[in-house]
Amino acid sequence: MMTFLAAFLVFVLVVFAMSLGWIIKRKSLQGSCGGISSLGMEKVCDCPEPCDARKKRMAREARRIL
């Protein structure tokens, strides 16, 4: 039980330390690399045409909307 409490305390302290920027400056977290757009990609998969599994998923979503 002592190990669990120690691990929980460490976890809470880490979360608190990560939130100090927001607590002090009200500044939200942001990425450091600029995301996918900085690599010249418009989307995660930069394929010219989606794969078969993606096409099926898109068709199911389109049917669900209608």
Side-chain angles (χ1 to χ4, degrees):
M1 184 66 175
M2 192 63 164
T3 304
F4 174 75
L5 291 175
F8 183 74
L9 179 65
V10 169
F11 181 73
V12 169
L13 288 174
V14 167
V15 170
F16 178 73
M18 290 171 47
S19 65
L20 278 178
W22 187 83
I23 291 171
I24 294 172
K25 297 181 182 179
R26 298 283 189 223
K27 187 176 181 182
S28 63
L29 296 176
Q30 55 186 335
S32 60
C33 65
I36 291 176
S37 61
S38 67
L39 300 173
M41 297 172 64
E42 295 178 13
K43 55 186 178 181
V44 175
C45 175
D46 207 20
C47 304
E49 187 176 325
C51 63
D52 293 335
R54 177 74 179 150
K55 287 180 186 177
K56 288 179 187 176
R57 199 173 324 124
M58 290 167 55
R60 268 187 275 143
E61 290 173 3
R63 277 184 270 155
R64 210 178 306 151
I65 293 173
L66 297 175

